[in-house]
Amino acid sequence: MISAAIVGGTGYTGIELIRLLSAHPNVSLDLLTSRSEAGTRADEIFPSLRGISDIVFSDLGEDTLGALQKCDVVFFATPHGVAMKQAEALTQAGVKVIDLAADFRLQSLTDFEHWYQQSHACPELLKTAVYGLPEVNRAKLAEALVVGNPGCYPTTAILGLKPIIEKQNAQADRLIEPRIVIDAKSGVSGAGRQAKLALNYAETTDNFKAYSVEGHRHLPEIEQGVAQLLGSQFTHRIRFLPHLVPMIRGMLSSIHMEMTEAGTAIDWQQAFENAYASEPFIDVMPKGNYPDTRSVRASNRLRIAIHQDNERAELTVIVVQDNLVKGAAGQAVQNMNVMFGLDESLGLNFAPIVP
Amino acid sequence: MISAAIVGGTGYTGIELIRLLSAHPNVSLDLLTSRSEAGTRADEIFPSLRGISDIVFSDLGEDTLGALQKCDVVFFATPHGVAMKQAEALTQAGVKVIDLAADFRLQSLTDFEHWYQQSHACPELLKTAVYGLPEVNRAKLAEALVVGNPGCYPTTAILGLKPIIEKQNAQADRLIEPRIVIDAKSGVSGAGRQAKLALNYAETTDNFKAYSVEGHRHLPEIEQGVAQLLGSQFTHRIRFLPHLVPMIRGMLSSIHMEMTEAGTAIDWQQAFENAYASEPFIDVMPKGNYPDTRSVRASNRLRIAIHQDNERAELTVIVVQDNLVKGAAGQAVQNMNVMFGLDESLGLNFAPIVP
Amino acid sequence: MISAAIVGGTGYTGIELIRLLSAHPNVSLDLLTSRSEAGTRADEIFPSLRGISDIVFSDLGEDTLGALQKCDVVFFATPHGVAMKQAEALTQAGVKVIDLAADFRLQSLTDFEHWYQQSHACPELLKTAVYGLPEVNRAKLAEALVVGNPGCYPTTAILGLKPIIEKQNAQADRLIEPRIVIDAKSGVSGAGRQAKLALNYAETTDNFKAYSVEGHRHLPEIEQGVAQLLGSQFTHRIRFLPHLVPMIRGMLSSIHMEMTEAGTAIDWQQAFENAYASEPFIDVMPKGNYPDTRSVRASNRLRIAIHQDNERAELTVIVVQDNLVKGAAGQAVQNMNVMFGLDESLGLNFAPIVP
Amino acid sequence: MISAAIVGGTGYTGIELIRLLSAHPNVSLDLLTSRSEAGTRADEIFPSLRGISDIVFSDLGEDTLGALQKCDVVFFATPHGVAMKQAEALTQAGVKVIDLAADFRLQSLTDFEHWYQQSHACPELLKTAVYGLPEVNRAKLAEALVVGNPGCYPTTAILGLKPIIEKQNAQADRLIEPRIVIDAKSGVSGAGRQAKLALNYAETTDNFKAYSVEGHRHLPEIEQGVAQLLGSQFTHRIRFLPHLVPMIRGMLSSIHMEMTEAGTAIDWQQAFENAYASEPFIDVMPKGNYPDTRSVRASNRLRIAIHQDNERAELTVIVVQDNLVKGAAGQAVQNMNVMFGLDESLGLNFAPIVP
C-alpha cells in the first residue's frame, strides 16, 4: 500500500482527491493537513464523505513536515506557492510530490515569476520537476520525484493538439497555418470553493461570460506544452479565450485551425485515432460526433472530436473533460500510478455520471 | 412627480427598486446612497442598468440626512437596524419611509428584540408603523408615514390564508383544524447579494435543502399576520419549514390544512375567487391548476391555487410569487402607490418573463 | 458470477443499472434488450459508457424469453405492465426477477388495478412478490423470486417513518397525532428520459412547481408501506404533495408530524440512530443538521435528519436520497445482493459526487 | 394605433412578441392565429399572460387571410416556409409583413433553396424584401413591405463586425487578416419550444456542447450580411461554431480576428464607440469589460466589448444579446417601429432583469 497525504484538501480538488484515494485499492490515505480546519473531520465539511472516510484534518505544527516525510507521496491541493516551500525537504526524505497548483508547471523560472508574481522557492528542483501529463511525459513521470500537475485548460489544449504536432514534426511541409484559436469554456467549480460575490449562484446561473483574454496564466502553460512537444523552432501563435459556463463540472475547448493544402491531405480523424489508440483515458469520438461535457462527468476520461472541412480548409478539434478529474485530481492519481509503477488506470476506471 | 431616494441599493432588492422606480411614470429617483460604493455609478455595479439609469451612489456624510429630508419618500434597502435609526428624523420632516428590512415588521417590541437581537431605536414610531401588505392594510397604508415592507415568506403565507381566516371569522363553527403546515421554498436570490461559500454556484446548483426549521424570523411575522387578521382568540398553530431551491427568483409556499366537517361544506375555490376578485396583483388560478414560479418571474403578481379534497378533509393552498418583486421591491412600490394616493398598479403592470 | 439481464434500459434507471452492474465485482451483464434500439451499442445512446461497457441492445424476438431464462436475474427497467407479462415464465425457469416499475409494488390486486388502470397479468405471483426495501424486508428478500422495487418517493417516506412506527408499536400510548404531511420534492430525472414539452430545459429550469396532489400513484404505496409495518389497526392519515425541483438528481421529503405528550418524551434523534445503527446505507445525521440532496448524489446512501421541537410538539423528519440510485437502480442492486446472499453493499459502496 | 396580428405564436418568440406588443403604446394586438391551439386563450398555454392579455388563438380557416388583410402588420412566428405562402396576398392588401423565420433572410434564391431545402413560394417578393437589421438597413426598412427578421447568431455577428468592415471600406490597406473565427454560444430557448429528448432538462443542464459546425443555416446569413456591408470584393472567410449553453436566454459570440499592421494602428474601442454612438440599442462597453448575457436578459439591448492586443495582433470582439429579444421578437418590434415611422425604441426601452 502506498501511504499518501494531502496538504490542503478543503477545496474542490481536495475533496475529489479524498474521494479518489479513498477508493484506490493500493493507497492508504494517512494524513490530511489543513491549518484552518485542524481537528475537523473531513465529513463534517463534506457530508458526502460520511461513511466513506473517517479522516480528520490535522495541523501538526512543527511536526507536520516529519509526518509528511513518513508518507510515500504527498499531494498538494493548496494555493500556488505552498508546495514549493516544502518540496525540497520532502524529496530529500524520498517522498514523491505531486503539486496540483502551479509551482511546478512552468519550467522557465522567468515565466513562473512573471505570471505568478513571486520568486520560486526551489529553482533547482524546478529543473527536475516533470510536467504531469502522462500522455506526453509517461517515461519521465516514471522517474519523477516532483510532478507539476497540469492546469485544466492546458490539459485539453495540449492533448487536443498533440497528434497534429507529432504529424507536423514527421513532415517537411507545414500542415496548419500559424495561428490557432482556442476558445475554451469551463464550469464554475474551476474557480474553486470560495466565498466570492462573482461566484454567487444568483450571479452565475442563467448567465454566460468570457474572461481573462489578456493574460490568463494557462496561456504560457499551453505555449510551453506546445513548444515542448514541437521543439523550439515551432512558431504557431495561440489565441486563448476562456469562458465561464453555468454548470458545476466540465470543460470544453474548441480549437480552431486552418489547414494548409498539405494539411488537407491528411485524414485527421484517423491520425487522432492512431495517436491515442492505446491511451486508457483518451477517447477519440467517431466522425461527426459532438461530445458533451456530461459524457465525462466525474470521470477521468477526456474525449476528442475532429471536424475537418477540406473545402474551407478548417480543422476544428473539440475536447471535453471533467475539470476536477482529468483536469485536476484524477490526473494527479493517474500521475501517481505512473510514478509508482502501477497500472495507470488503477482506481480511475469508473463510469461518468449521466444524467 | 414623487421625489424618491433609496438608502442602500447595492443588493438585489436595491437593483430591483432602481429598475422599478426608473420606469415608474410618477417617480423621480433622485438619490441613491451607499457608503461602500459612494461615487460609483449604479450601472458600473449593475451593467444591466446601462442606458436605463445614470444615477450615482453617493455618501453625503453629515449632509445625507438633509438630502434625504428633501425627498418625498425614502426606501431603505439596507440590513436590519438601519432604517429605524433615521426614520424619526425623516418622518418629522414629512418624508414617508418604506423599510424593506425588518425594523417595522413586528409590531411587538418584545418580539422584535427577541428575534432580531437588538433594541429598537424608535419604539414610539414602531407603534404607528403600518405593515405593508396592501391586500390586508390598504386603508391604513393610505395614511402611513412609516411602512414595514413584509418579508417574502410572510407575504405568501398571509395572502394564502387570508380568505380562510375571513371566512372563519364570519362563522361560528371551526373550519380548519388548529395545525397548519407551511412548507415553503425560495430561490437563492432571497439570501441576498453576498459573498458566501454556501451560496457559491457549485454549492447550490443541482442541490436542494431545508433550513431554519427552528426559529426562522419569518415565523413570528406570519403568526402576527395571522393573528392580526383574526383577532386574538385565534389559536391556530403554524409549522414553518423553508427550503432553498436552485433557481434565481421565485418562491412557492405549500400550505397544508385539515378541514373540519364544516370546512368541507365550503367551496374554497369560490371563496378565494370572491376574496381576491378586485385585487390587481392576486390571481386565483382555475381549479386543478399548479402555478409555477416562473409564471410570475420578474412581475408583481402572486398566484394562488386551491386544492380541496373533501374525502380526505385536506385543503392545500399553493402560493407563488417572485420573491424580489411581490416579495420585496414590487410590494414596496405598490405600498408607495397607496401611500401617495396613486393608482395602485402604476409602474407595476408589466408581464412576467417566460421562458 | 451472477449472469444478469436488463429488459428495457434506454431510460435513466436503465443507464444507471448498466453503470452499477458493469462495476459490480460479482455480476456479468450478459443481456440488454430493447425493441426500439435493437442492434445499437449502449454507448452510442449513452456516450458516457464508451470504454465502460461494450454491450449492445438486442431484440431476439421469439428467442428473447429463452435467452432471459438462461440468466440468473432479470431487471425490468421498463414501463409499468411489462414485467408482469414475463415474470411467470422466468421464475418457472428459476430466474429471479426485479421489476423497477410498479407491477409488483402494490400487493393488493384491487389497489394495483385502481391506480394503474390495467388488470394484473399474474395475480398469483403478485401474492408471493416481495416489496424490495431491504431495510424493511431483508429476510423475505433473501427468499424472494420476484421483487417489486419501490418507488422513489415511498422509499423516503417509509424509511423516514419506520423508526417512529416501530416505537409506536412497542408502546401503548399514541406518540404521533393521526395526520402526517409529506411534502416531497424531486429532481427532473424522476420524470424519465422522454421527449416532453413540460420537461424541456427552458420550461423547467429556474422554475419550481407542485403537481399531482390528487392521486399520485406513490401515495397508496406509501400507505401500504406504513400499514404493513404497523399492522392493520394503524390509522394515520397521510397527505402527500410532490414538487418538481430544477435539478437533475435528488429527492428530499419533509415529513411533518405532531407529537402527543407521550411522543415528546421520546428522544427521536436517539431512536433513529438506534434503529439504523447497523444499516449500511442509512445515515442518521447529527442533531441540528440539514442534509442536502447533493450529499448523496450518484450514491446509494439515504440520509435522515430529525428536528424535534417539544415546545411546539412538532417532529420534522427530513430524508434525502438520489432518486435514481437508492430510489431506483441502486436499491435494485442492493435487493439483488440480498437475494443472492452477497454482502449487501457489494458494488454499491462508492462516494457521492460533490460538487 | 397599429393593428397587429401574430401568425403562430405558440413558441418562445411568439410569447415574447405577445409580451412586447401587449405593452407597446401604439399597437393593438388584434389577431393571434394557430391551428393547433385554435379556441384556446393564450394565457392558458402561458399562464404568465394572465392579467396581461385576453387574446385567444383563432383559426378562421378560409377567412384567416381576410382577417389578416385587415391588419396593418402581420408577424409570422412560424416555422420556415409559412410566411412566404401568405406574404404576397398580404402585401397586395397593403399589409406589412415581418417574418421571424428564415423565408426572407437570404436574398439569394439559390442560397435559400440550398440551405432550407425547399423552393421559394414568392421569389419576386424576395427581391424586394429587406433584411431586418435596423442598425444596417434603417433607411430601406422605412420603405419595406416585407422584412426578414435576422437569425439570432447573425445579429451578433454582423453587428460585431460592422464597424470593422466600415473602417476597412474607408481605407486602402487591409486591416484584418482574411480568416475570422466566430465561436458562438446560445441559451436553450434558441432551440424553440418543443418536445425533444435532446432538450429535456436532464439532458441539457450541467452540460455544454458544440453542434453544427458543418452547415449551420446561420453561416450563409452571416456571410451575406458581411458581404452586403462590404461589397462583393470582400474575401474574408468565416468559421462559425455554435454551442449550447445550459441557460434559458442569452447569446454570446466571441469573434476572433488577427489584425494586420495597419489594423493595429487603429483604436478599435474608439472606432466602435463612434460607430454606435447614436444607436439606441447597441452598447459599446468600456475598455477591458466582459459583458455577461444576463446584463441584457429580457431586454432589446446588445452589448459589445473590444479586446485589442497589438502585441499579439489579436482583436477579439465579444457580443451579447438576449436571443429572444434583440435576437428575435424585440428586433421584430424595432423593425416595426422603423417601418411605421415611430420612435425606434418605442415599447422597447425596459431594463434587463438582474438577477
Side-chain angles (χ1 to χ4, degrees):
Chain A
M1 293 294 276
I2 299 167
S3 173
I6 303 174
V7 177
T10 60
Y12 293 142
T13 52
I15 183 180
E16 198 67 354
L17 266 178
I18 298 173
R19 176 174 80 93
L20 297 177
L21 294 177
S22 298
H24 195 292
N26 291 35
V27 170
S28 166
L29 178 56
D30 292 329
L31 191 56
L32 183 65
T33 74
S34 161
R35 259 182 225 164
S36 59
E37 299 292 350
T40 310
R41 286 174 60 104
D43 65 7
E44 278 183 61
I45 299 178
F46 302 114
S48 61
L49 294 176
R50 287 174 61 88
I52 300 294
S53 170
D54 291 334
I55 202 161
V56 177
F57 286 103
S58 61
D59 178 9
L60 308 175
E62 293 182 3
D63 298 336
T64 298
L65 183 60
L68 292 174
Q69 282 173 329
K70 288 186 194 129
C71 297
D72 299 312
V73 61
V74 174
F75 294 88
F76 284 88
T78 43
H80 308 310
V82 175
M84 66 185 180
K85 288 183 191 125
Q86 303 189 29
E88 217 142 19
L90 290 171
T91 53
Q92 278 160 9
V95 182
K96 294 177 201 280
V97 168
I98 301 176
D99 180 29
L100 285 86
D103 297 6
F104 298 100
R105 289 179 188 163
L106 295 180
Q107 291 174 321
S108 147
L109 198 60
T110 321
D111 278 358
F112 176 83
E113 295 181 353
H114 169 69
W115 286 96
Y116 293 90
Q117 296 288 309
Q118 49 188 306
S119 56
H120 203 286
C122 54
E124 286 309 306
L125 204 51
L126 180 59
K127 285 181 196 161
T128 69
V130 177
Y131 189 68
L133 199 53
E135 292 80 4
V136 168
N137 266 342
R138 192 165 279 124
K140 285 188 190 164
L141 281 165
E143 311 296 326
L145 284 181
V146 175
V147 167
N149 210 56
C152 47
Y153 286 121
T155 297
T156 60
I158 298 170
L159 294 177
L161 289 171
K162 179 173 177 275
I164 297 171
I165 296 170
E166 288 176 343
K167 203 82 178 174
Q168 176 69 74
N169 286 347
Q171 212 153 326
D173 292 341
R174 181 182 274 283
L175 301 174
I176 301 289
E177 296 292 351
R179 181 165 161 270
I180 297 173
V181 173
I182 302 179
D183 195 286
K185 300 92 179 174
S186 172
V188 181
S189 64
R193 182 169 171 269
Q194 51 176 326
K196 203 172 155 183
L197 179 56
L199 300 179
N200 183 301
Y201 177 88
E203 300 286 312
T204 310
T205 201
D206 207 48
N207 196 14
F208 186 81
K209 65 179 293 188
Y211 65 101
S212 290
V213 73
E214 294 91 2
H216 193 288
R217 290 162 168 180
H218 284 183
L219 177 56
E221 194 182 330
I222 295 170
E223 290 175 329
Q224 163 187 283
V226 170
Q228 269 193 341
L229 288 161
L230 277 172
S232 59
Q233 85 291 357
F234 188 67
T235 57
H236 283 73
R237 298 187 311 278
I238 288 173
R239 179 61 162 177
F240 174 62
L241 178 63
H243 301 75
L244 193 65
V245 184
M247 62 182 177
I248 303 176
R249 291 161 176 253
M251 171 167 285
L252 184 149
S253 291
S254 307
I255 309 179
H256 300 272
M257 289 161 284
E258 186 178 7
M259 293 175 285
T260 62
E261 214 182 306
T264 61
I266 289 172
D267 179 340
W268 289 106
Q269 174 75 30
Q270 196 57 54
F272 271 74
E273 288 182 11
N274 294 347
Y276 288 131
S278 60
E279 284 297 339
F281 294 116
I282 311 298
D283 176 26
V284 179
M285 302 292 292
K287 216 169 189 164
N289 221 296
Y290 292 95
D292 51 6
T293 58
R294 67 171 187 155
S295 76
V296 295
R297 187 191 290 144
S299 91
N300 199 48
R301 279 192 166 65
L302 176 148
R303 303 194 203 275
I304 303 182
I306 317 300
H307 290 268
Q308 178 174 2
D309 179 344
N310 280 349
E311 204 180 319
R312 290 176 173 266
E314 288 285 349
L315 179 63
T316 300
V317 174
I318 298 170
V319 186
V320 299
Q321 71 175 5
D322 184 318
N323 55 304
L324 295 180
V325 191
K326 183 61 178 165
Q331 183 133 278
V333 174
Q334 187 182 351
N335 282 325
M336 181 201 72
N337 286 342
V338 177
M339 293 163 82
F340 284 86
L342 303 175
D343 172 356
E344 194 168 323
S345 58
L346 211 62
L348 289 171
N349 215 359
F350 38 81
I353 303 299
V354 168
Chain B
M1 295 294 277
I2 299 166
S3 172
I6 302 174
V7 177
T10 61
Y12 293 141
T13 52
I15 182 181
E16 198 67 355
L17 267 178
I18 298 173
R19 177 174 80 94
L20 297 177
L21 295 177
S22 298
H24 195 292
N26 291 36
V27 170
S28 166
L29 178 56
D30 292 330
L31 191 57
L32 182 64
T33 74
S34 161
R35 258 181 224 164
S36 59
E37 299 292 349
T40 310
R41 288 174 60 104
D43 65 7
E44 278 183 61
I45 299 179
F46 302 115
S48 60
L49 295 175
R50 288 174 61 88
I52 300 293
S53 169
D54 291 333
I55 202 161
V56 177
F57 286 103
S58 62
D59 178 9
L60 309 174
E62 293 182 3
D63 298 336
T64 297
L65 183 61
L68 292 174
Q69 283 174 328
K70 289 184 193 131
C71 296
D72 298 312
V73 61
V74 174
F75 295 87
F76 283 88
T78 44
H80 308 310
V82 175
M84 65 185 181
K85 290 187 189 122
Q86 304 190 30
E88 217 142 20
L90 290 171
T91 52
Q92 278 160 8
V95 183
K96 295 179 201 278
V97 169
I98 301 176
D99 179 29
L100 285 87
D103 297 6
F104 298 100
R105 288 179 188 163
L106 295 179
Q107 291 173 321
S108 148
L109 199 59
T110 320
D111 277 357
F112 176 83
E113 295 182 351
H114 169 70
W115 287 96
Y116 292 91
Q117 295 289 310
Q118 49 188 306
S119 56
H120 202 286
C122 55
E124 286 309 307
L125 204 51
L126 180 60
K127 286 182 196 159
T128 68
V130 177
Y131 188 69
L133 198 54
E135 292 80 5
V136 169
N137 266 341
R138 191 166 278 123
K140 285 188 191 164
L141 281 166
E143 312 296 326
L145 283 182
V146 176
V147 167
N149 211 56
C152 45
Y153 286 122
T155 298
T156 61
I158 298 169
L159 294 177
L161 289 171
K162 179 173 177 275
I164 297 171
I165 296 170
E166 288 176 343
K167 203 81 177 176
Q168 175 69 74
N169 286 348
Q171 211 152 327
D173 291 340
R174 180 182 276 281
L175 301 173
I176 300 290
E177 296 294 351
R179 181 164 162 271
I180 297 173
V181 173
I182 303 179
D183 195 286
K185 300 90 180 175
S186 172
V188 181
S189 64
R193 183 170 172 270
Q194 51 175 325
K196 202 173 155 182
L197 178 55
L199 300 178
N200 183 301
Y201 177 88
E203 300 286 312
T204 310
T205 201
D206 207 46
N207 196 14
F208 186 81
K209 65 179 292 187
Y211 65 100
S212 290
V213 73
E214 295 90 2
H216 194 288
R217 290 161 167 181
H218 284 181
L219 176 56
E221 193 182 331
I222 294 170
E223 290 175 328
Q224 163 188 283
V226 170
Q228 270 193 341
L229 288 161
L230 277 173
S232 58
Q233 83 292 355
F234 188 67
T235 58
H236 283 73
R237 299 187 310 278
I238 289 173
R239 178 62 162 177
F240 174 62
L241 178 63
H243 301 74
L244 192 66
V245 185
M247 61 182 179
I248 302 177
R249 291 161 176 255
M251 172 167 285
L252 183 149
S253 291
S254 308
I255 309 179
H256 300 272
M257 288 161 283
E258 187 179 5
M259 293 175 284
T260 62
E261 214 183 304
T264 61
I266 290 172
D267 179 340
W268 289 107
Q269 174 75 29
Q270 196 57 54
F272 271 75
E273 287 181 12
N274 294 346
Y276 288 131
S278 60
E279 284 297 339
F281 294 116
I282 312 297
D283 175 26
V284 180
M285 302 292 292
K287 216 169 189 163
N289 221 296
Y290 292 95
D292 51 5
T293 58
R294 68 173 186 153
S295 75
V296 295
R297 187 190 291 143
S299 91
N300 199 48
R301 279 191 168 67
L302 176 148
R303 303 195 202 276
I304 303 181
I306 317 301
H307 290 269
Q308 178 174 4
D309 179 343
N310 280 350
E311 203 180 319
R312 291 177 173 264
E314 290 285 349
L315 180 63
T316 301
V317 174
I318 298 170
V319 186
V320 299
Q321 71 175 2
D322 184 318
N323 55 302
L324 294 180
V325 191
K326 182 61 178 166
Q331 183 132 277
V333 173
Q334 187 182 353
N335 282 324
M336 180 201 73
N337 285 342
V338 178
M339 292 162 82
F340 284 85
L342 303 175
D343 173 355
E344 194 169 321
S345 57
L346 211 62
L348 290 172
N349 215 357
F350 38 82
I353 304 299
V354 169
Chain C
M1 295 294 276
I2 299 167
S3 173
I6 302 174
V7 178
T10 61
Y12 293 141
T13 52
I15 183 181
E16 198 67 353
L17 266 178
I18 299 173
R19 177 174 79 94
L20 296 178
L21 294 178
S22 299
H24 195 292
N26 291 34
V27 170
S28 166
L29 178 56
D30 292 330
L31 191 57
L32 183 64
T33 74
S34 161
R35 260 183 223 164
S36 60
E37 298 293 350
T40 310
R41 286 174 61 105
D43 66 6
E44 278 183 61
I45 299 178
F46 302 115
S48 60
L49 295 175
R50 288 173 61 87
I52 299 295
S53 169
D54 291 333
I55 202 161
V56 178
F57 286 103
S58 62
D59 178 8
L60 307 174
E62 294 182 3
D63 298 335
T64 297
L65 183 61
L68 292 173
Q69 283 173 328
K70 288 185 194 128
C71 297
D72 298 313
V73 61
V74 175
F75 294 88
F76 284 88
T78 44
H80 307 311
V82 174
M84 66 184 181
K85 288 182 191 126
Q86 303 190 30
E88 218 143 18
L90 290 171
T91 52
Q92 278 161 9
V95 182
K96 294 178 201 278
V97 169
I98 301 175
D99 180 29
L100 285 87
D103 297 6
F104 298 100
R105 288 179 188 162
L106 295 180
Q107 292 175 321
S108 148
L109 199 59
T110 320
D111 277 359
F112 177 82
E113 295 181 352
H114 169 71
W115 286 96
Y116 292 92
Q117 296 288 310
Q118 50 188 308
S119 56
H120 203 285
C122 54
E124 285 311 305
L125 203 52
L126 180 59
K127 286 181 196 161
T128 69
V130 177
Y131 189 69
L133 199 53
E135 292 81 4
V136 169
N137 267 340
R138 192 166 278 126
K140 285 187 191 166
L141 281 166
E143 311 297 326
L145 284 181
V146 176
V147 167
N149 210 55
C152 46
Y153 286 121
T155 297
T156 60
I158 298 170
L159 295 178
L161 289 170
K162 178 173 178 276
I164 296 172
I165 296 170
E166 287 176 344
K167 203 81 177 175
Q168 176 69 76
N169 286 348
Q171 210 152 327
D173 292 341
R174 182 182 274 282
L175 301 174
I176 300 291
E177 296 292 350
R179 181 164 162 270
I180 297 173
V181 173
I182 302 179
D183 195 286
K185 301 91 179 173
S186 172
V188 181
S189 64
R193 183 169 171 269
Q194 52 176 325
K196 202 171 154 183
L197 178 56
L199 301 179
N200 183 301
Y201 177 88
E203 300 286 313
T204 310
T205 201
D206 207 47
N207 195 13
F208 186 81
K209 65 178 293 188
Y211 66 99
S212 291
V213 73
E214 294 91 2
H216 193 288
R217 290 161 167 181
H218 284 182
L219 176 55
E221 193 183 330
I222 294 170
E223 290 175 329
Q224 161 187 283
V226 170
Q228 269 193 341
L229 287 162
L230 277 173
S232 58
Q233 84 291 357
F234 188 68
T235 57
H236 283 74
R237 299 186 313 278
I238 289 172
R239 179 61 162 178
F240 174 62
L241 178 63
H243 300 74
L244 192 65
V245 185
M247 63 181 175
I248 302 177
R249 291 161 176 253
M251 171 166 286
L252 183 149
S253 290
S254 307
I255 308 179
H256 300 272
M257 288 161 285
E258 187 178 5
M259 293 174 285
T260 62
E261 214 182 305
T264 61
I266 289 172
D267 179 341
W268 289 106
Q269 174 76 28
Q270 196 57 55
F272 271 75
E273 288 182 11
N274 294 347
Y276 288 131
S278 61
E279 284 297 340
F281 294 115
I282 312 299
D283 176 25
V284 179
M285 301 292 292
K287 217 170 190 165
N289 221 296
Y290 293 95
D292 52 6
T293 58
R294 68 171 186 155
S295 76
V296 295
R297 188 191 289 144
S299 91
N300 199 49
R301 279 191 167 66
L302 176 149
R303 302 193 204 277
I304 303 182
I306 317 301
H307 290 269
Q308 177 174 4
D309 180 342
N310 281 348
E311 204 181 319
R312 290 177 172 263
E314 290 283 351
L315 180 63
T316 301
V317 174
I318 298 171
V319 186
V320 299
Q321 71 175 4
D322 184 317
N323 55 303
L324 295 180
V325 191
K326 183 61 178 165
Q331 183 132 277
V333 173
Q334 189 182 351
N335 281 325
M336 181 200 72
N337 285 343
V338 178
M339 293 162 82
F340 285 85
L342 304 174
D343 173 356
E344 195 168 323
S345 58
L346 210 62
L348 290 171
N349 216 358
F350 38 81
I353 303 300
V354 169
Chain D
M1 295 294 276
I2 299 168
S3 172
I6 302 174
V7 178
T10 60
Y12 293 141
T13 51
I15 183 181
E16 198 67 355
L17 266 178
I18 298 174
R19 176 174 81 95
L20 297 177
L21 294 177
S22 299
H24 195 291
N26 290 36
V27 170
S28 166
L29 177 56
D30 292 329
L31 191 57
L32 183 64
T33 75
S34 160
R35 259 181 223 165
S36 59
E37 299 292 349
T40 309
R41 287 174 60 104
D43 65 6
E44 278 182 62
I45 299 178
F46 302 114
S48 60
L49 295 175
R50 288 173 62 87
I52 299 294
S53 169
D54 291 333
I55 201 160
V56 178
F57 285 104
S58 62
D59 178 9
L60 308 173
E62 293 182 4
D63 298 336
T64 298
L65 183 60
L68 292 174
Q69 283 174 329
K70 288 183 195 132
C71 296
D72 298 312
V73 61
V74 174
F75 294 88
F76 284 87
T78 44
H80 308 311
V82 174
M84 65 186 182
K85 289 184 190 123
Q86 303 190 30
E88 216 142 20
L90 290 171
T91 53
Q92 278 160 9
V95 182
K96 295 179 201 280
V97 168
I98 302 176
D99 179 29
L100 284 87
D103 297 6
F104 298 99
R105 289 178 189 164
L106 294 180
Q107 291 174 323
S108 148
L109 197 59
T110 320
D111 277 357
F112 176 82
E113 295 182 351
H114 169 70
W115 285 96
Y116 291 91
Q117 296 288 308
Q118 50 188 307
S119 56
H120 203 286
C122 55
E124 286 309 307
L125 203 53
L126 181 59
K127 286 182 197 161
T128 68
V130 177
Y131 188 70
L133 199 53
E135 292 80 3
V136 169
N137 266 340
R138 192 166 278 124
K140 285 187 192 165
L141 281 166
E143 311 296 326
L145 283 181
V146 176
V147 167
N149 211 56
C152 46
Y153 286 122
T155 298
T156 60
I158 298 170
L159 295 177
L161 288 170
K162 180 173 178 274
I164 296 172
I165 296 170
E166 288 176 343
K167 202 82 178 175
Q168 175 69 73
N169 286 348
Q171 210 152 328
D173 291 340
R174 179 181 276 284
L175 300 174
I176 300 290
E177 296 294 349
R179 180 164 161 270
I180 297 173
V181 173
I182 302 179
D183 194 285
K185 300 91 180 174
S186 172
V188 181
S189 64
R193 185 171 170 269
Q194 51 176 325
K196 203 173 155 182
L197 179 56
L199 301 178
N200 183 300
Y201 177 88
E203 300 286 313
T204 310
T205 200
D206 207 46
N207 195 14
F208 185 82
K209 64 179 294 187
Y211 65 100
S212 290
V213 72
E214 294 90 2
H216 194 288
R217 289 160 166 181
H218 284 181
L219 176 55
E221 193 182 331
I222 295 171
E223 290 175 329
Q224 163 187 282
V226 170
Q228 270 193 341
L229 289 161
L230 278 172
S232 58
Q233 85 291 355
F234 188 67
T235 58
H236 282 73
R237 298 187 311 277
I238 288 173
R239 179 61 163 177
F240 173 62
L241 178 63
H243 301 75
L244 192 65
V245 185
M247 62 181 177
I248 302 177
R249 292 160 175 255
M251 172 167 285
L252 182 149
S253 291
S254 308
I255 308 179
H256 300 272
M257 289 161 285
E258 187 179 5
M259 293 176 284
T260 61
E261 215 183 304
T264 61
I266 290 171
D267 179 341
W268 290 106
Q269 175 75 29
Q270 196 57 54
F272 271 75
E273 287 181 12
N274 294 347
Y276 288 131
S278 60
E279 283 298 339
F281 294 116
I282 312 298
D283 176 25
V284 179
M285 302 292 291
K287 216 170 189 164
N289 221 297
Y290 293 95
D292 51 5
T293 58
R294 68 172 186 153
S295 76
V296 293
R297 187 190 291 143
S299 92
N300 199 49
R301 278 190 167 67
L302 176 148
R303 303 195 202 276
I304 303 181
I306 317 301
H307 290 269
Q308 178 173 5
D309 179 344
N310 280 349
E311 202 180 322
R312 291 176 173 264
E314 289 285 349
L315 180 63
T316 300
V317 174
I318 298 170
V319 185
V320 299
Q321 71 175 3
D322 184 318
N323 55 303
L324 295 180
V325 190
K326 182 61 178 166
Q331 183 133 279
V333 173
Q334 188 182 351
N335 282 324
M336 181 200 73
N337 286 343
V338 177
M339 292 162 82
F340 285 85
L342 303 174
D343 173 355
E344 194 168 321
S345 58
L346 211 62
L348 290 171
N349 215 359
F350 38 82
I353 303 300
V354 169

